Amino acid sequence: AAPLDVADWSNVYDAGEPAAPRGGRADFDEGEEPRDIAAAPRSLREEIAQQIRLAFDDRTDRLIAAQMLSLLEPSGRLSVPDAAIAAALGCEASRVAAIRARMMRFEPAGMFAASLRDCLAAQLAERKRLDPAMAALLDNLELLARRDMRALQAACGVDAEDLAEMVAEIRRLDPKPGADLDAADPATRVP
């Protein structure tokens, strides 16, 4: 049998300082392991940025989406009109509206909505619960706030039992899906 050639690993292994990982950092605190940093939870804003990168192939669409993310309010709503965003970026308002509609389906659903009604409608659509009666309830949230159940029954075309179920469904939704937009969970440190 022919003798085995010994591989030359000199071009692979560097005994010097470790190189910084791509997109990461090479310095660690005392007692901190690289796996601890890799497992650090991301903020909701970082999660949405990742969803943008995955959802939009077109650079212009990603730019528009990133601008919308930067304008996002702490509640998760985006009250800036599509026309204003389009004018600032030099594109069509219909393109911005289409991107906003797509982003409202990101996790958590309802982010980027212009109003409470749109936020709740996006969440109901994700749950496949946005029917005409529920849409009528969303169109009359002021009646719900006043607890005018008779007027709501008439507006929605449902009986008291169905209305009670619909109101319970609305109460299970998150009116501020971006409440923890910039809050990242603190990393757990082990002494």
Side-chain angles (χ1 to χ4, degrees):
L4 295 175
D5 291 331
V6 177
D8 179 19
W9 293 95
S10 64
N11 66 341
V12 176
Y13 176 73
D14 181 16
E17 288 293 315
R22 280 184 82 179
R25 62 178 230 217
D27 59 323
F28 303 105
D29 295 334
E30 187 177 326
E32 186 175 43
E33 295 289 327
R35 68 177 172 269
D36 296 335
I37 291 174
R42 293 187 293 188
S43 71
L44 181 56
R45 189 173 294 275
E46 292 168 331
E47 291 289 333
I48 292 171
Q50 178 67 21
Q51 291 179 63
I52 288 170
R53 287 188 292 275
L54 295 173
F56 299 105
D57 294 330
D58 184 77
R59 287 184 75 179
T60 304
D61 289 350
R62 278 196 309 265
L63 175 72
I64 294 167
Q67 178 65 22
M68 294 171 81
L69 177 59
S70 72
L71 296 171
L72 205 59
E73 298 165 7
S75 66
R77 293 208 191 94
L78 179 61
S79 60
V80 179
D82 294 339
I85 296 170
L89 296 175
C91 63
E92 304 84 30
S94 61
R95 187 174 193 173
V96 173
I99 291 170
R100 181 193 295 249
R102 193 166 173 190
M103 291 173 70
M104 285 175 55
R105 308 274 319 239
F106 282 2
E107 186 62 37
M111 300 278 292
F112 300 97
S115 66
L116 174 62
R117 186 225 179 270
D118 294 342
C119 175
L120 298 176
Q123 291 177 48
L124 288 168
E126 274 301 300
R127 296 176 179 199
K128 299 182 181 1
R129 292 279 298 134
L130 187 60
D131 56 24
M134 194 64 88
L137 176 60
L138 293 177
D139 290 336
N140 293 287
L141 288 175
E142 72 282 350
L143 294 176
L144 181 59
R146 289 192 314 230
R147 299 177 193 258
D148 189 349
M149 297 307 173
R150 288 181 194 257
L152 272 175
Q153 281 178 289
C156 298
V158 296
D159 61 18
E161 185 179 330
D162 288 338
L163 182 62
E165 289 175 14
M166 291 167 59
V167 170
E169 181 81 22
I170 293 287
R171 287 191 175 137
R172 285 190 291 270
L173 302 177
D174 187 357
K176 296 181 181 181
D180 58 346
L181 184 64
D182 292 316
D185 294 333
T188 305
R189 296 271 182 163
V190 178

